[in-house]
Amino acid sequence: MYTQERTAMANLVVGGPVAVNSYDNAIVAALLESRPVMLVHAFNGGYLRPAELKEESHDKGVELATALDPVTKEAQGHLWYITPGGFFGQRPLYFIESAAGQVTPEPTGAGEADAGRGDDGATKPQRRRITVHQDAPKSTADTVQVGLPGKVGDKWRGKNGAPEDTQLWAVTVTPWGGITFVPITHPDTILGFKDHAVTANSEVRLTYNWGGDFTGTVINTFYPRLPNEWSVPYHHVFT
């Protein structure tokens, strides 16, 4: 079993000052192998899901769910891809892409341009990304949207000229084995929740990183979990 094997890459650094030396294969799978993972919250074990699962939705946000219902599971709304998106200096950047509502592009004809292909030569699927508002985290602008780059609202794209600017995140592995997301357009913030409340159906927003550094705070840390690791306990990190 994959989850019973432990990586031998003892000094693997995947996005921050903390090395993955270790035991959490879900982090390795998410950041290096492009495998979909559940993003489980450190505080109450709820997981992130798009507020709207359908592929034609591009203006809805993300919420914290505490029960994995059949509809969400069937639509893969509990799964996310942490997709490489370039570098900020020497720091790797990532897109947070939903597995729900992804679209596989039609095959292109001979000689035609396409949307890019993976290592296996297959056309890459189009996935909706978590996108931040240009003016976040001010008033209602601190919400996020899940949508394709060209279909989210005007203020959710292209702050510095490139459509991806508002969709790229620094992903930092924290000392307690979780990950924290920092948007490159608002480096003093991290992915958090409305009114700092971590409860069922909490609305995901950008929140100021009062921790003061890229390791974030426990309250806004997420544990990547492979789908078959959903029942793995996570509170052991506090003991």
XYZ file of all heavy atoms in Angstrom, residues 16-92:
588
model
N 8.951 25.748 1.516
C 9.182 26.655 2.619
C 10.372 26.228 3.447
O 11.163 25.393 3.024
N 10.490 26.784 4.617
C 11.669 26.548 5.444
C 11.677 25.186 6.131
O 12.640 24.824 6.769
C 11.590 27.667 6.480
C 10.133 27.970 6.584
C 9.586 27.777 5.206
N 10.583 24.438 6.037
C 10.479 23.174 6.746
C 10.649 22.019 5.768
O 9.983 21.963 4.742
C 9.121 23.054 7.464
C 9.023 21.724 8.204
C 8.942 24.214 8.432
N 11.537 21.097 6.081
C 11.781 19.950 5.200
C 10.752 18.853 5.451
O 10.361 18.601 6.567
C 13.189 19.403 5.431
N 10.315 18.217 4.363
C 9.489 17.023 4.495
C 10.449 15.858 4.562
O 11.050 15.471 3.586
C 8.571 16.862 3.269
C 7.773 15.586 3.387
C 7.646 18.044 3.165
N 10.664 15.290 5.755
C 11.743 14.337 5.915
C 11.191 12.948 5.993
O 11.612 12.154 6.748
C 12.571 14.649 7.132
C 11.780 14.915 8.353
O 10.611 14.613 8.399
N 12.402 15.475 9.332
N 10.076 12.813 5.483
C 9.285 11.987 6.179
C 8.230 11.078 5.909
O 8.315 10.298 5.071
C 8.664 12.885 7.079
O 7.596 13.587 6.691
N 7.208 11.396 6.849
C 6.185 10.418 7.033
C 4.899 10.829 6.362
O 4.006 10.030 6.253
C 5.934 10.223 8.516
C 5.417 11.452 9.214
C 4.055 11.659 9.332
C 6.282 12.394 9.752
C 3.586 12.779 9.977
C 5.805 13.499 10.393
C 4.454 13.688 10.502
O 3.988 14.802 11.139
N 4.764 12.074 5.956
C 3.471 12.454 5.406
C 3.493 12.370 3.900
O 3.814 13.323 3.208
C 3.071 13.845 5.870
C 1.563 13.999 5.781
O 0.963 13.319 4.936
O 0.989 14.771 6.539
N 3.142 11.199 3.406
C 3.153 10.988 1.962
C 2.106 11.818 1.242
O 2.208 12.027 0.040
C 2.935 9.511 1.640
C 4.221 8.715 1.777
O 5.267 9.162 1.347
N 4.130 7.559 2.393
N 1.071 12.271 1.950
C 0.049 13.065 1.288
C 0.625 14.394 0.814
O 0.258 14.900 -0.244
C -1.134 13.302 2.228
N 1.533 15.000 1.590
C 2.169 16.246 1.159
C 3.018 15.990 -0.074
O 2.982 16.743 -1.049
C 3.026 16.844 2.294
C 2.128 17.294 3.449
C 3.859 18.015 1.779
C 2.892 17.858 4.632
N 3.785 14.907 -0.045
C 4.618 14.565 -1.193
C 3.750 14.290 -2.413
O 4.019 14.760 -3.514
C 5.506 13.336 -0.873
C 6.315 12.924 -2.090
C 6.438 13.649 0.290
N 2.663 13.550 -2.206
C 1.776 13.210 -3.311
C 1.139 14.458 -3.905
O 0.996 14.589 -5.117
C 0.696 12.234 -2.841
N 0.755 15.398 -3.044
C 0.079 16.602 -3.523
C 1.020 17.514 -4.291
O 0.675 18.031 -5.353
C -0.532 17.361 -2.343
N 2.228 17.735 -3.753
C 3.114 18.736 -4.325
C 4.036 18.191 -5.413
O 4.464 18.944 -6.291
C 3.961 19.373 -3.217
C 3.171 20.096 -2.119
C 4.124 20.736 -1.130
C 2.236 21.136 -2.700
N 4.354 16.921 -5.367
C 5.307 16.388 -6.338
C 4.686 15.426 -7.337
O 5.167 15.308 -8.456
C 6.460 15.671 -5.619
C 7.328 16.541 -4.723
C 8.493 15.728 -4.171
C 7.857 17.753 -5.469
N 3.632 14.763 -6.949
C 3.055 13.757 -7.819
C 1.725 14.184 -8.424
O 1.112 13.436 -9.175
C 2.857 12.449 -7.038
C 4.153 11.879 -6.496
C 3.913 10.636 -5.639
O 2.761 10.139 -5.615
O 4.871 10.171 -5.002
N 1.265 15.395 -8.082
C 0.004 15.927 -8.609
C -1.161 14.983 -8.356
O -2.044 14.836 -9.200
C 0.126 16.229 -10.108
O 1.077 17.230 -10.328
N -1.173 14.352 -7.198
C -2.295 13.503 -6.827
C -3.316 14.336 -6.065
O -2.961 15.208 -5.276
C -1.828 12.327 -5.968
C -0.917 11.369 -6.696
C -0.580 10.156 -5.853
N -1.765 9.392 -5.498
C -1.740 8.301 -4.729
N -0.593 7.861 -4.231
N -2.841 7.646 -4.455
N -4.605 14.093 -6.287
C -5.619 14.870 -5.560
C -5.648 14.489 -4.092
O -5.463 13.315 -3.735
C -6.927 14.473 -6.257
C -6.657 13.116 -6.814
C -5.205 13.112 -7.199
N -5.860 15.468 -3.241
C -5.902 15.237 -1.800
C -7.097 15.964 -1.201
O -7.665 16.867 -1.797
C -4.616 15.751 -1.100
C -3.407 14.945 -1.516
C -4.395 17.233 -1.375
N -7.480 15.532 -0.005
C -8.433 16.277 0.788
C -7.653 17.303 1.600
O -6.549 17.009 2.077
C -9.200 15.344 1.726
C -10.015 14.284 1.020
S -10.922 13.215 2.160
C -12.204 14.318 2.743
N -8.192 18.486 1.745
C -7.569 19.507 2.576
C -8.370 19.586 3.871
O -9.433 20.188 3.940
C -7.543 20.857 1.850
C -6.658 20.877 0.600
C -6.759 22.214 -0.118
C -5.200 20.571 0.955
N -7.835 18.916 4.904
C -8.522 18.764 6.184
C -8.014 19.818 7.149
O -6.804 20.000 7.310
C -8.278 17.347 6.750
C -8.985 17.173 8.085
C -8.761 16.293 5.754
N -8.922 20.521 7.814
C -8.521 21.599 8.693
C -7.972 21.081 10.018
O -8.459 20.094 10.567
C -9.702 22.533 8.968
C -9.269 23.868 9.479
N -9.175 24.146 10.818
C -8.859 24.986 8.835
C -8.749 25.394 10.981
N -8.543 25.915 9.792
N -6.950 21.751 10.513
C -6.264 21.294 11.722
C -7.147 21.384 12.963
O -6.981 20.621 13.904
C -4.990 22.120 11.942
N -8.091 22.315 12.965
C -8.823 22.591 14.199
C -9.946 21.597 14.454
O -10.055 21.023 15.527
C -9.383 24.008 14.160
C -10.097 24.412 15.415
C -9.395 24.635 16.591
C -11.477 24.553 15.432
C -10.056 25.000 17.761
C -12.144 24.922 16.595
C -11.426 25.142 17.752
N -10.800 21.375 13.442
C -11.958 20.520 13.706
C -12.110 19.372 12.723
O -13.099 18.646 12.765
C -13.242 21.357 13.724
C -13.627 21.847 12.341
O -12.856 21.725 11.386
N -14.812 22.400 12.221
N -11.149 19.193 11.829
C -11.206 18.052 10.932
C -12.146 18.210 9.764
O -12.339 17.274 8.993
N -12.761 19.386 9.615
C -13.584 19.627 8.439
C -12.711 19.718 7.204
O -11.502 19.936 7.285
N -13.308 19.558 6.039
C -12.547 19.593 4.797
C -13.078 20.691 3.880
O -14.251 21.082 3.966
C -12.604 18.238 4.088
C -13.982 17.868 3.571
C -14.351 18.139 2.251
C -14.926 17.272 4.398
C -15.613 17.820 1.775
C -16.185 16.943 3.928
C -16.521 17.223 2.613
O -17.772 16.922 2.141
N -12.217 21.179 3.006
C -12.611 22.227 2.070
C -13.340 21.621 0.873
O -12.946 20.581 0.349
C -11.378 22.990 1.572
C -10.583 23.770 2.615
C -9.492 24.581 1.929
C -11.485 24.673 3.429
N -14.405 22.296 0.442
C -15.134 21.895 -0.752
C -15.642 23.145 -1.458
O -15.916 24.169 -0.811
C -16.325 20.990 -0.406
C -17.419 21.698 0.380
C -18.577 20.787 0.721
N -19.314 20.336 -0.446
C -20.245 21.052 -1.074
N -20.548 22.270 -0.653
N -20.873 20.550 -2.110
N -15.752 23.119 -2.798
C -16.347 24.261 -3.488
C -17.807 24.418 -3.063
O -18.511 23.419 -2.859
C -16.252 23.880 -4.981
C -15.236 22.788 -5.045
C -15.327 22.069 -3.730
N -18.253 25.650 -2.920
C -19.648 25.884 -2.567
C -20.569 25.385 -3.669
O -21.704 24.976 -3.403
C -19.884 27.371 -2.307
N -20.100 25.407 -4.902
C -20.863 24.908 -6.044
C -20.000 23.904 -6.796
O -18.879 24.221 -7.189
C -21.272 26.066 -6.967
C -21.982 25.644 -8.236
C -23.225 24.799 -7.970
O -24.158 25.306 -7.342
O -23.217 23.621 -8.387
N -20.515 22.697 -7.011
C -19.716 21.623 -7.590
C -19.736 21.607 -9.120
O -18.854 21.021 -9.738
C -20.212 20.266 -7.076
C -20.172 20.061 -5.559
C -20.806 18.725 -5.188
C -18.749 20.137 -5.035
N -20.706 22.237 -9.745
C -20.873 22.120 -11.192
C -19.771 22.838 -11.958
O -19.281 23.882 -11.539
C -22.235 22.669 -11.610
C -23.403 21.892 -11.006
C -24.726 22.507 -11.407
C -25.897 21.745 -10.777
N -27.201 22.364 -11.119
N -19.415 22.281 -13.116
C -18.316 22.824 -13.903
C -18.619 24.203 -14.468
O -17.712 24.970 -14.765
C -17.966 21.871 -15.053
C -19.065 21.720 -16.088
C -18.716 20.700 -17.157
O -18.334 19.563 -16.803
O -18.844 21.046 -18.347
N -19.897 24.569 -14.617
C -20.232 25.880 -15.181
C -20.254 26.986 -14.140
O -20.480 28.156 -14.461
C -21.589 25.832 -15.896
C -22.754 25.474 -15.001
C -23.058 23.980 -15.000
O -22.157 23.192 -15.338
O -24.198 23.609 -14.653
N -19.983 26.657 -12.871
C -19.966 27.671 -11.816
C -18.560 28.247 -11.668
O -17.598 27.510 -11.471
C -20.410 27.049 -10.486
O -20.249 27.976 -9.433
N -18.460 29.583 -11.763
C -17.154 30.238 -11.667
C -17.165 31.425 -10.705
O -16.147 32.091 -10.555
C -16.698 30.707 -13.050
C -16.623 29.601 -14.062
N -15.570 28.719 -14.112
C -17.490 29.215 -15.018
C -15.786 27.843 -15.096
N -16.943 28.119 -15.646
N -18.301 31.704 -10.082
C -18.381 32.879 -9.214
C -18.768 32.525 -7.788
O -19.186 33.380 -7.019
C -19.367 33.902 -9.787
C -20.785 33.342 -9.898
O -20.965 32.126 -9.684
O -21.699 34.133 -10.210
N -18.627 31.253 -7.426
C -18.919 30.827 -6.061
C -17.621 30.521 -5.337
O -16.574 30.322 -5.942
C -19.825 29.595 -6.056
C -21.142 29.783 -6.806
C -21.980 30.894 -6.190
C -23.302 31.028 -6.940
N -24.119 32.148 -6.410
N -17.703 30.461 -4.011
C -16.505 30.324 -3.214
C -16.246 28.915 -2.712
O -16.568 27.917 -3.361
N -15.646 28.845 -1.511
C -15.250 27.598 -0.883
C -15.801 27.591 0.532
O -15.896 28.640 1.173
C -13.705 27.460 -0.849
C -13.284 26.139 -0.221
C -13.130 27.584 -2.245
N -16.164 26.415 1.026
C -16.674 26.311 2.388
C -16.062 25.118 3.087
O -15.485 24.230 2.453
C -18.204 26.209 2.386
C -18.737 24.983 1.672
C -20.255 24.988 1.542
O -20.861 26.062 1.745
O -20.821 23.930 1.233
N -16.185 25.121 4.414
C -15.678 24.030 5.234
C -16.835 23.099 5.557
O -17.821 23.513 6.146
C -15.064 24.570 6.525
C -14.318 23.559 7.385
C -12.967 23.231 6.754
C -14.115 24.103 8.793
N -16.729 21.841 5.152
C -17.776 20.853 5.423
C -17.275 19.860 6.459
O -16.086 19.532 6.495
C -18.166 20.132 4.138
N -18.181 19.380 7.284
C -17.788 18.437 8.331
C -18.345 17.046 8.100
O -18.059 16.130 8.864
C -18.248 18.950 9.707
O -19.645 19.266 9.651
C -17.467 20.192 10.097
N -19.150 16.864 7.048
C -19.658 15.539 6.697
C -19.432 15.311 5.206
O -19.698 16.188 4.391
C -21.149 15.427 7.020
N -18.927 14.148 4.876
C -18.653 13.820 3.477
C -19.888 13.141 2.897
O -20.063 11.929 2.999
C -17.423 12.916 3.357
C -16.965 12.560 1.941
C -16.749 13.812 1.115
C -15.687 11.730 1.999
N -20.761 13.935 2.279
C -22.009 13.401 1.759
C -21.784 12.727 0.404
O -20.806 13.013 -0.294
C -23.043 14.517 1.624
C -22.565 15.614 0.683
O -21.813 16.500 1.152
O -22.903 15.567 -0.510
N -22.676 11.830 0.004
C -22.511 11.090 -1.248
C -22.427 11.988 -2.486
O -21.680 11.689 -3.417
C -23.756 10.196 -1.305
C -24.170 10.029 0.127
C -23.833 11.333 0.792
N -23.189 13.082 -2.505
C -23.174 13.970 -3.674
C -21.796 14.592 -3.856
O -21.245 14.628 -4.961
C -24.251 15.069 -3.530
C -24.124 16.083 -4.662
C -25.638 14.457 -3.518
N -21.219 15.079 -2.764
C -19.882 15.674 -2.828
C -18.847 14.638 -3.229
O -17.980 14.884 -4.072
C -19.498 16.284 -1.464
O -20.441 17.294 -1.114
C -18.101 16.890 -1.516
N -18.938 13.451 -2.648
C -17.970 12.406 -2.957
C -18.067 11.983 -4.412
O -17.054 11.808 -5.096
C -18.185 11.212 -2.034
C -17.075 10.170 -2.106
C -17.229 9.116 -1.029
C -16.074 8.130 -1.071
N -16.186 7.110 -0.014
N -19.290 11.832 -4.916
C -19.484 11.417 -6.299
C -18.931 12.444 -7.277
O -18.355 12.101 -8.318
C -20.983 11.198 -6.565
C -21.329 10.821 -7.987
C -20.834 9.428 -8.376
O -20.591 8.605 -7.466
O -20.693 9.168 -9.585
N -19.066 13.731 -6.929
C -18.591 14.809 -7.798
C -17.128 15.148 -7.561
O -16.594 16.053 -8.190
C -19.448 16.058 -7.591
N -16.476 14.439 -6.628
C -15.087 14.697 -6.244
C -14.906 16.098 -5.666
O -13.838 16.690 -5.768
C -14.139 14.486 -7.432
C -14.080 13.042 -7.922
C -12.935 12.799 -8.891
O -12.715 13.575 -9.822
N -12.190 11.736 -8.657
N -15.953 16.600 -5.031
C -15.869 17.923 -4.431
C -14.985 17.985 -3.208
O -14.652 19.067 -2.733
N -14.590 16.827 -2.687
C -13.715 16.788 -1.505
C -12.245 16.741 -1.901
O -11.379 16.749 -1.019
C -14.053 15.569 -0.647
C -13.895 14.255 -1.356
N -14.457 13.987 -2.582
C -13.223 13.116 -1.000
C -14.150 12.746 -2.956
N -13.394 12.209 -2.019
N -11.936 16.723 -3.196
C -10.557 16.542 -3.647
C -10.018 17.796 -4.331
O -10.736 18.488 -5.061
C -10.469 15.359 -4.615
C -10.829 13.989 -4.027
C -10.734 12.922 -5.096
C -9.933 13.645 -2.840
N -8.731 18.051 -4.094
C -8.055 19.210 -4.678
C -6.704 18.789 -5.244
O -6.035 17.901 -4.711
C -7.818 20.292 -3.613
C -9.075 20.809 -3.002
C -9.729 20.296 -1.912
C -9.855 21.930 -3.445
N -10.856 21.036 -1.650
C -10.961 22.034 -2.569
C -9.719 22.853 -4.488
C -11.925 23.031 -2.710
C -10.677 23.840 -4.629
C -11.773 23.923 -3.745
N -6.297 19.463 -6.304
C -4.957 19.307 -6.859
C -4.133 20.533 -6.477
O -4.607 21.667 -6.596
C -5.001 19.215 -8.391
C -5.587 17.929 -8.919
C -6.959 17.799 -9.109
C -4.771 16.843 -9.234
C -7.503 16.621 -9.603
C -5.314 15.662 -9.734
C -6.670 15.563 -9.912
O -7.204 14.398 -10.399
N -2.916 20.319 -5.988
C -1.985 21.411 -5.706
C -1.010 21.414 -6.896
O -0.034 20.674 -6.913
C -1.244 21.204 -4.371
C -2.239 20.791 -3.266
C -0.496 22.465 -3.966
C -3.315 21.808 -2.992
N -1.306 22.228 -7.878
C -0.639 22.154 -9.182
C 0.498 23.166 -9.289
O 0.284 24.356 -9.036
C -1.658 22.428 -10.307
O -2.774 21.551 -10.148
C -1.030 22.214 -11.678
N 1.696 22.751 -9.672
C 2.813 23.692 -9.833
C 2.467 24.806 -10.817
O 1.866 24.566 -11.865
C 3.947 22.814 -10.375
C 3.604 21.437 -9.926
C 2.102 21.361 -9.950
N 2.851 26.040 -10.456
C 2.514 27.178 -11.302
C 3.661 28.139 -11.522
O 3.440 29.288 -11.877
N 4.914 27.700 -11.308
C 6.048 28.592 -11.512
C 6.772 28.892 -10.223
O 6.636 28.168 -9.228
N 7.520 30.003 -10.242
C 8.347 30.348 -9.085
C 8.231 31.824 -8.767
O 8.001 32.663 -9.639
C 9.823 30.010 -9.357
C 10.103 28.540 -9.403
C 9.942 27.824 -10.582
C 10.524 27.865 -8.267
C 10.186 26.472 -10.621
C 10.773 26.509 -8.301
C 10.607 25.805 -9.481
N 8.392 32.146 -7.492
C 8.522 33.525 -7.025
C 9.912 33.617 -6.426
O 10.147 33.194 -5.306
C 7.443 33.835 -5.980
C 7.486 35.251 -5.478
C 7.091 36.298 -6.286
C 7.917 35.528 -4.191
C 7.127 37.602 -5.819
C 7.953 36.832 -3.716
C 7.560 37.873 -4.537
N 10.868 34.135 -7.202
C 12.263 33.999 -6.824
C 12.624 32.527 -6.923
O 12.480 31.919 -7.976
N 13.071 31.954 -5.811
C 13.352 30.525 -5.785
C 12.250 29.733 -5.094
O 12.381 28.531 -4.886
C 14.686 30.272 -5.071
C 15.886 30.839 -5.808
C 17.190 30.521 -5.109
O 17.233 30.304 -3.896
N 18.271 30.479 -5.871
N 11.178 30.398 -4.774
C 10.090 29.745 -4.049
C 9.050 29.219 -5.036
O 8.506 29.970 -5.835
C 9.443 30.751 -3.099
C 8.476 30.129 -2.124
C 7.878 31.220 -1.235
N 7.085 30.615 -0.177
C 7.562 30.226 0.984
N 8.846 30.386 1.248
N 6.779 29.692 1.900
N 8.746 27.922 -5.004
C 7.746 27.382 -5.926
C 6.350 27.890 -5.587
O 6.013 28.100 -4.420
C 7.851 25.863 -5.732
C 8.456 25.689 -4.382
C 9.348 26.876 -4.152
